[in-house]
Amino acid sequence: MMAENLTLRYILEFAIIIPAVIFAVLPVLNDLRFKSWLAYVSGGILLVLFVTFGAYLRAKFFFNSAFIMIPYSILFFIVYIMIIDASTGRKLFCFFNSVMLCAFCPLYTVFIMAPLEAENEIWHTAGLFTLQSSVVNTALVLLIGGIFFKTLCVKLPMLMRQKYIDSVWDFLFLVPLFMTVLMLWSIPIHPDLAMVGRLRPAALIFLWLILMMILLLYHVFWWTALKLTEGAKLQQENTLLMMEGKRYEELRGYMEETRALRHDFRQHILVITQLSVAGKFNELQNYLEQFSEGTETNYTGYCDNSAVDAVASHYTAFAESQSTKIEWNMTLPHDLPMKESDYCVVLGNLLENALRAVKKLSPECRNITVISSLLSETIIGLSVDNPYIGKIKFRKNGLPRPDREGHGIGLTSVRNTVSRYDGSMNITAEKNVFSVDIVFHCNAE
């Protein structure tokens, strides 16, 4: 019976690996390079094998837990870096945040169960919890997972997608790293030390306050980023309104010009009639040529949707300023089956990338082609092609690797928008033509 209890304690000791991996993966679940059910099942089986093997080594050779956990942590960290497609700062933050949450549990368990652990003889030789303390430690892991569940599944993933705080992750990971080191260092060498004076009740309160402060810090960070995102969306909407306002002024000028032409049209008909009756055909031809010159207009419509038409007009004017020609082929209706702002942001990001790419070419080669239409009542297709020079390398997520820090954010934003509509995005770079083909499934939003 004693041997069975000891084996169970070894297994419970190493079982913390499983929630640690879950805590690390949840915030970046959408950035996993392998998302098939086979990969998840294989990962789960490997974790169980690692737990079992660690418990076996501990029981067979009486290795110290740190002797096994340290190489385990290094191995898991290397694998984690390889399977997550995110910035280094993001991966470091998620990894050390998971380690911090799991390190809190044995530390807090020592102070909770100190009276019982003080009589635990195995602690002196192997530093192993009693079975009761192992169960308490496991329950604490589940409790912490429940408390931080929304943060790990909702708030942190939302933060990971924000391009406005990219640089923050490069140093924010130091917070969970520091807390992890502090917690591991604070574990008493022997449970008797936790019983000295008022250390135990003070530690139970102080440690819990620290954990709640970390949770509050994450919430404040999330709330701040949420407000920044709302502000950015508001700015995008204001920019779109400005484009629509400018386009409206162009349309109103065109309508005023057309109204004036209709007003004068009777006089022109009278002159044309008189010249025709008099047989003065040379004068009639000259007059018609002058009349045609006076009726020319520069107004061009790109599609029936006013918001998209305004964006197209804006980028056409910008393209002309850098000697670039945009060929438009858009057959979109007045009312889109998706949010106009989402479509316009995607179109704007793609055009900005295309205009930046063709700027490196000679003026005669600066051509961009935009094709968009309804493929069905709820499906919109969008394609943007542009020539380029140089070599484009692609990452494993299908997005091109940026040539400079800060570039490539637009396509990441586009991909996030497309994924919200359960759509697809295909990017190719062949024969010096960069193409982005997108399909929106508008009933998925």
Side-chain angles (χ1 to χ4, degrees), residues 152-204:
L152 295 172
C153 293
V154 179
K155 295 181 180 179
L156 287 181
M158 190 277 284
L159 289 171
M160 296 290 168
R161 294 194 297 267
Q162 302 309 309
K163 60 182 180 180
Y164 313 104
I165 54 175
D166 279 344
S167 59
V168 175
W169 304 103
D170 294 335
F171 61 86
L172 189 63
F173 77 90
L174 294 174
V175 174
L177 174 59
F178 172 77
M179 293 304 302
T180 299
V181 174
L182 181 62
M183 289 177 181
L184 293 176
W185 178 78
S186 301
I187 296 178
I189 299 174
H190 191 274
D192 284 338
L193 299 177
M195 304 291 292
V196 176
R198 299 179 179 177
L199 176 60
R200 181 168 173 261
L204 290 175

Side-chain angles (χ1 to χ4, degrees), residues 390-423:
K391 187 175 181 180
I392 297 179
K393 297 180 179 179
F394 286 86
R395 295 182 291 187
K396 291 186 178 180
N397 63 356
L399 296 182
R401 190 180 302 277
D403 53 357
R404 293 201 307 271
E405 187 68 25
H407 283 209
I409 296 175
L411 284 177
T412 302
S413 174
V414 169
R415 184 186 65 174
N416 292 335
T417 302
V418 172
S419 64
R420 289 207 312 272
Y421 287 91
D422 196 23

Side-chain angles (χ1 to χ4, degrees), residues 84-105:
I84 302 298
D85 185 24
S87 65
T88 302
R90 287 177 170 86
K91 288 186 280 192
L92 289 174
F93 174 83
C94 293
F95 183 84
F96 288 117
N97 178 68
S98 170
V99 176
M100 176 194 68
L101 295 178
C102 291
F104 172 86
C105 298

Side-chain angles (χ1 to χ4, degrees), residues 208-357:
W208 194 258
L209 287 177
I210 289 179
L211 189 68
M212 293 301 101
M213 287 178 62
I214 293 173
L215 182 63
L216 178 62
L217 173 65
Y218 289 170
H219 177 78
V220 171
F221 186 30
W222 167 79
W223 183 84
T224 303
L226 186 63
K227 293 303 178 183
L228 288 174
T229 303
E230 291 176 355
K233 288 183 178 179
L234 183 61
Q235 184 178 1
Q236 290 175 347
E237 291 175 358
N238 288 338
T239 302
L240 183 58
L241 287 174
M242 290 176 60
M243 292 181 187
E244 290 183 350
K246 182 179 178 181
R247 191 61 166 166
Y248 171 73
E249 292 298 326
E250 294 177 359
L251 179 59
R252 190 173 67 173
Y254 169 73
M255 293 175 66
E256 291 292 336
E257 182 180 352
T258 304
R259 186 179 295 111
L261 288 173
R262 286 202 305 268
H263 181 269
D264 296 337
F265 192 68
R266 289 176 298 172
Q267 305 300 325
H268 293 302
I269 291 295
L270 179 61
V271 173
I272 291 171
T273 302
Q274 293 297 327
L275 291 175
S276 177
V277 170
K280 299 179 179 179
F281 297 109
N282 290 332
E283 290 84 348
L284 176 61
Q285 183 177 358
N286 292 333
Y287 185 81
L288 289 174
E289 290 176 356
Q290 296 175 11
F291 175 70
S292 299
E293 292 175 358
T295 58
E296 290 180 358
T297 177
N298 293 324
Y299 180 84
T300 304
Y302 300 96
C303 72
D304 293 338
N305 183 272
S306 58
V308 179
D309 184 70
V311 172
S313 175
H314 170 80
Y315 281 101
T316 297
F318 184 82
E320 291 175 352
S321 69
Q322 68 172 44
S323 303
T324 300
K325 179 183 178 182
I326 301 180
E327 182 180 344
W328 299 93
N329 186 357
M330 307 183 76
T331 55
L332 297 176
H334 182 272
D335 296 319
L336 299 182
M338 64 182 293
K339 292 181 181 177
E340 291 180 346
S341 57
D342 286 343
Y343 182 91
C344 291
V345 167
V346 169
L347 179 61
N349 279 323
L350 295 180
L351 287 173
E352 286 179 1
N353 289 340
L355 289 167
R356 187 186 301 116

Side-chain angles (χ1 to χ4, degrees), residues 13 27 77 119 148 166 191 200 203 207 223 317 322 324 364 367 399 442:
E13 182 181 29
F77 179 73
E119 302 175 359
F148 279 81
D166 279 344
R200 181 168 173 261
L207 289 173
W223 183 84
Q322 68 172 44
T324 300
E364 62 273 11
N367 299 306
L399 296 182
C442 305

